[in-house]
Amino acid sequence: MRRAFSVGIVLALSSVAATFAAVVVFLTPEIPNYSQVRLHYRPSYARVRSRNGEVLQQVRIERYYRADPWLELKHIPKDVVETIVSSEDRRFYSHVGVDAKALLRAAWMSLWHNKRSGASTLSMQLVRLLNEGSTPFKSPWPHASAPRLSKLSQILGALLLDSTWSKAEILEAYLNLVPFRGELRGISAASQILFHTAPEALTPAHGLLLAAILPAPNAAHALIETRACKISQNLAFQTKFPTGCDILPKLWGERALAHLTLYDSSEPILSKAAALRILKGAGKHSGSSPKRVPLELTSTIEREIQTTVAALTRSHLEPLRARRALDAAVLVVHNQSGEVRAYLPNSGTSASAPHVDGILAYRQAGSTLKPFIYGSAFELNLLSPDSVLSDMPLELSVFSGLYKPANYDRRFRGPVSAKVALASSLNIPALRVLTIVGLKNATSTLSKLQLLKPGADDRYGYSIALGAPVVRLWDLVNAYRTIANDGEYSDLTVQPSPKNRPQESSASEHIFSSKTTAALKEILSSRDARRETFGLESPLATSYWSAVKTGTSKDMTDNWCVGFSNDYTVGVWVGNFSGEPMHNVSGVSGAAPLWSSVLEWLHENRSSTLHAANILAIGDPLPLSPMHTRPSRITAPTSGTSIAIDPGIPLQHQSVNFTAQTGLTNARWSLNGSVLGPVAAPTWWQPTKGAHTLTLVDNLGNEVDRSEFSVR
């Protein structure tokens, strides 16, 4: 019987032990190793870099916290670390994860004095941080994100943590994950935001304030200041503060408290809207959300082009504000590779809505769709550039009755060639071309170019010839790039391809033949063909080969200018994000000058060669070789030019653009002896009848070049 009793005792004790072990295993949280924590740590933002490696923008990708990249312990001043350790866990280096003395003291104070006393060690706090969902450590274990661990679980986890991690690793992880005031996580973010100081430059006084924040991160300013003073009195190295706490109110009040807004007022090179577009493109490419994209993402953006485009846009918009044009967007694309070189979704802090992406916004297309309707006719051999079209009153039967379109200037020109009709953007001939091609063929072409939304094929009817559909600047630029690339369509990209080769993942499709695109290039590059509407001298007439088209939507709510040289396609939209109409701002007076300025800069600062397929019309300027060094000179208007004011076009739409080729700094324009302004800025002059003398002057007032022209 005794033997049976002993066996029963043993079995009972074994059962109790097994149960206790099972409870311990159940309560012990999942503890990753140090390498796993580093691997799954994610700062709150991703960096977008230029194609040459410069940082263009940092974009928040985490909503609930703000954290910098992982900071190694060796980069944190030893005095600051010791201040935090002494304040939070003074026996950190001697205990095994749990401070038994502190636990006993806490129990005594709670039972006998009904007071709370802190007993959590740094190890216990780190265990809690590793199992919370609002820290930069993104646990790969779904069950390891409980909102709060019990004290017993923290104790068991701390014992396990100290047995597998070194003290230095625990300290380093703690200082990278611990919350500091509001959304700040980690000592690096706290030092950058609270003190505008790099963590390596933290002082002992900073360390006191950081240690005082930890017990109650969102406590009142006065309470944190009082606690910092108390910590300084308890530290062994308090002799470093000879004036006691006098230094703290000044440091805390004037520097830290002033910067708790957590916002950076400076304007980055790349806007957040543009950076988000790049990140989302990368996420789509990898099949994941923006939070899963690489934290260091290299884009195709060129810093110099981006900054130049931004400066030109702000300068160009300034005088247009008086005519209620507040916003603009610009996209610059490399023709061969499809890589985006500049992505300006708005004018930045001066925009009416700085967070709106004007490149991806759908706006009415205006006349920018006409080349693709003519292209469809050329492709089907229904028309040629020399075909004669009638520019006379036209009536079309639509579901609501008769549609009677008119040209922009309300004039009719009788028989005109298809070349003149397209280059001069005449409306009635474009509608006649659409009736010849047929709606089905025209909408098919526009759909292939992504210029019609899915399901919108039958929505617009004949009005597609006049630009009723809504389009994105992104798609419009790529459609014109297709013409530049001899009819071959492929997707644009914001991520560089390996070894600078064209994107292999982007499937290409031939929309137009080389014959069709050659005809379109000839038409869109011809000064003589567009003179009927735009005259010989306008922002569309560049000193090098280019092909371009403008567009203005109904009620002047949007205007466009999209065109290309041999190397780049540039698209510009000008308008208001609110949809409010502009006052007398058309494509040629609003978007075209900015387009001309951007392409002019690209031509002067990036190599460009003449393609054999480019056909120059009579009267067009010959392209200048980029290898030829040219003297400073006036390029437009040249001496002997006679400018005629067209009585059929509003005078405000007939401004003359002064352009010059010069490497001089601070060069100025002088007209008839009066200084107009710097050559670097776009200069427009409203013509007055008579003889005029335009002079290019250097920074010393010396005449560099002279042009004598007349206006009749």
Side-chain angles (χ1 to χ4, degrees):
M1 182 177 288
R2 287 181 180 179
R3 186 173 182 179
F5 180 76
S6 299
V7 171
I9 293 274
V10 171
L11 290 174
L13 291 175
S14 299
S15 178
V16 170
T19 302
F20 178 76
V23 170
V24 168
V25 170
F26 176 76
L27 292 176
T28 302
E30 185 79 52
I31 301 297
N33 59 43
Y34 170 80
S35 298
Q36 289 172 319
V37 173
R38 287 289 303 269
L39 178 64
H40 293 282
Y41 175 89
R42 289 186 67 80
S44 57
Y45 55 82
R47 282 195 179 106
V48 177
R49 296 184 179 272
S50 73
R51 65 197 308 263
N52 295 321
E54 306 104 330
V55 175
L56 300 177
Q57 174 63 278
Q58 293 186 160
V59 180
R60 272 294 279 272
I61 57 175
E62 291 292 347
R63 181 182 300 177
Y64 300 107
Y65 64 82
R66 179 166 183 164
D68 286 348
W70 187 275
L71 183 67
E72 294 183 356
L73 191 62
K74 64 183 179 182
H75 296 302
I76 307 173
K78 188 175 294 185
D79 286 345
V80 174
V81 175
E82 293 306 318
T83 299
I84 293 174
V85 171
S86 298
S87 173
E88 288 293 303
D89 187 1
R90 58 188 178 136
R91 284 183 284 272
F92 171 73
Y93 294 104
S94 59
H95 64 61
V96 292
V98 177
D99 189 342
K101 291 182 179 179
L103 282 176
L104 290 174
R105 184 176 181 277
W108 173 265
M109 295 294 290
S110 178
L111 291 173
W112 296 101
H113 300 282
N114 198 28
K115 293 182 179 180
R116 296 184 63 182
S117 177
S120 291
T121 62
L122 292 180
S123 300
M124 292 170 64
Q125 292 183 51
L126 180 57
V127 168
R128 176 174 54 81
L129 292 171
L130 292 175
N131 283 269
E132 286 185 347
S134 60
T135 67
F137 170 63
K138 296 303 178 184
S139 173
W141 302 284
H143 63 281
S145 58
R148 192 171 186 84
L149 290 176
S150 67
K151 188 63 70 175
L152 180 57
S153 293
Q154 290 181 40
I155 291 172
L156 295 172
L159 292 171
L160 179 59
L161 184 73
D162 262 59
S163 67
T164 56
W165 288 42
S166 70
K167 291 291 185 181
E169 290 172 342
I170 293 172
L171 260 181
E172 184 175 296
Y174 174 80
L175 292 173
N176 277 281
L177 299 178
V178 67
F180 286 96
R181 203 158 187 87
E183 65 176 0
L184 300 178
R185 297 293 184 271
I187 194 169
S188 180
S191 64
Q192 299 276 5
I193 301 303
L194 295 181
F195 309 121
H196 277 202
T197 301
E200 293 89 345
L202 289 171
T203 66
H206 290 135
L208 285 174
L209 289 171
L210 292 172
I213 291 173
L214 286 174
N218 296 315
H221 165 219
L223 183 61
I224 293 175
E225 181 183 317
T226 300
R227 180 172 173 79
C229 293
K230 185 177 179 180
I231 294 172
S232 71
Q233 294 166 3
N234 294 333
L235 292 176
F237 52 89
Q238 59 182 326
T239 55
K240 293 185 178 180
F241 305 96
T243 57
C245 298
D246 293 344
I247 191 175
L248 295 177
K250 179 179 180 182
L251 175 68
W252 179 251
E254 293 182 8
R255 301 184 75 184
L257 196 63
H259 298 305
L260 285 182
T261 54
L262 308 184
Y263 292 107
D264 187 356
S265 60
S266 62
E267 190 167 355
I269 297 169
L270 191 68
S271 70
K272 288 188 177 180
L276 285 171
R277 171 69 183 89
I278 293 170
L279 288 172
K280 287 178 180 178
K284 181 179 179 181
H285 180 72
S286 63
S288 59
S289 70
K291 289 188 177 183
R292 296 294 100 192
V293 301
L295 298 175
E296 295 285 340
L297 184 66
T298 299
S299 70
T300 60
I301 303 295
E302 284 196 39
R303 178 191 174 102
E304 188 180 13
I305 298 179
Q306 181 74 23
T307 54
T308 300
V309 167
L312 290 173
T313 301
R314 286 191 290 268
S315 173
H316 175 74
L317 278 179
E318 196 58 38
L320 291 179
R321 293 182 181 279
R323 289 190 271 172
R324 299 202 302 268
L326 304 179
D327 299 302
V330 183
L331 185 65
V332 178
V333 174
H334 184 249
N335 289 341
Q336 183 179 7
S337 65
E339 293 181 349
V340 175
R341 294 289 190 256
Y343 190 107
L344 193 78
N346 53 62
S347 58
T349 54
S350 62
S352 66
H355 299 294
V356 172
D357 189 338
I359 292 174
L360 297 183
Y362 282 94
R363 310 294 298 218
Q364 200 170 47
S367 295
T368 57
L369 301 185
K370 288 177 182 175
F372 309 106
I373 295 172
Y374 278 81
S376 297
F378 297 159
E379 190 72 11
L380 296 172
N381 291 318
L382 299 174
L383 290 174
S384 73
D386 296 324
S387 298
V388 177
L389 299 169
S390 174
D391 183 21
M392 294 297 290
L394 176 67
E395 294 183 353
L396 295 172
S397 178
V398 295
F399 69 92
S400 58
L402 285 178
Y403 176 40
K404 299 179 180 180
N407 289 321
Y408 178 77
D409 56 7
R410 304 291 175 181
R411 295 169 56 205
F412 300 103
R413 293 163 177 81
V416 294
S417 68
K419 178 178 180 178
V420 170
L422 174 56
S424 295
S425 198
L426 303 180
N427 288 340
I428 294 177
L431 283 163
R432 295 189 186 278
V433 173
L434 181 58
T435 60
I436 294 171
V437 173
L439 279 172
K440 185 177 181 180
N441 290 327
T443 56
S444 174
T445 299
L446 294 176
S447 296
K448 290 177 182 178
L449 293 166
Q450 307 299 315
L451 295 176
L452 280 182
K453 284 185 175 181
D457 296 14
D458 302 323
R459 181 183 304 172
Y460 299 103
Y462 291 110
S463 66
I464 65 169
L466 307 185
V470 291
V471 298
R472 305 186 304 176
L473 184 59
W474 178 270
D475 299 315
L476 200 56
V477 166
N478 202 23
Y480 277 81
R481 171 180 163 256
T482 300
I483 299 176
N485 285 345
D486 296 330
E488 186 173 343
Y489 176 91
S490 61
D491 293 334
L492 301 182
T493 179
V494 291
Q495 289 184 272
S497 54
K499 299 180 181 179
N500 294 324
R501 292 194 305 268
Q503 279 302 98
E504 297 176 359
S505 60
S506 176
S508 61
E509 178 184 1
H510 257 89
I511 307 296
F512 296 125
S513 66
S514 296
K515 179 182 177 182
T516 296
T517 56
L520 291 174
K521 288 176 184 178
E522 179 186 0
I523 293 171
L524 297 178
S525 64
S526 174
R527 284 191 189 190
D528 189 61
R530 73 168 76 100
R531 68 185 300 176
E532 183 66 36
T533 298
F534 303 102
L536 288 175
E537 292 294 337
S538 75
L540 309 180
T542 59
S543 59
Y544 47 88
W545 186 90
S546 64
V548 61
K549 184 72 183 72
T550 62
T552 304
S553 64
K554 185 179 179 182
D555 298 325
M556 289 190 176
T557 56
D558 312 276
N559 64 67
W560 312 79
C561 187
V562 188
F564 51 87
S565 63
N566 296 312
D567 295 324
Y568 295 99
T569 300
V570 177
V572 175
W573 168 86
V574 171
N576 295 297
F577 289 141
S578 65
E580 180 184 355
M582 296 170 285
H583 180 65
N584 286 332
V585 180
S586 65
V588 75
S589 62
L594 178 54
W595 174 86
S596 178
S597 298
V598 171
L599 204 60
E600 181 78 33
W601 185 89
L602 288 169
H603 180 77
E604 297 301 329
N605 292 275
R606 295 292 185 273
S607 62
S608 178
T609 55
L610 178 65
H611 292 176
N614 295 332
I615 304 172
L616 297 177
I618 296 175
D620 283 351
L622 291 174
L624 300 173
S625 170
M627 303 303 293
H628 178 63
T629 301
R630 292 162 293 180
S632 297
R633 63 183 181 84
I634 297 172
T635 54
T638 56
S639 282
T641 298
S642 178
I643 300 173
I645 297 177
D646 191 332
I649 300 177
L651 188 60
Q652 63 268 27
H653 294 166
Q654 300 188 66
S655 298
V656 176
N657 183 23
F658 296 157
T659 62
Q661 163 59 41
T662 178
L664 300 174
T665 57
N666 301 321
R668 301 186 307 278
W669 290 116
S670 175
L671 182 67
N672 301 326
S674 299
V675 176
L676 294 182
V679 173
T683 304
W684 291 91
W685 174 68
Q686 190 166 309
T688 57
K689 291 184 178 181
H692 302 278
T693 301
L694 179 67
T695 308
L696 178 65
V697 181
D698 64 16
N699 59 345
L700 299 177
N702 301 317
E703 181 180 312
V704 177
D705 193 21
R706 170 188 293 253
S707 173
E708 296 180 351
F709 64 97
S710 62
V711 178
R712 54 185 173 83

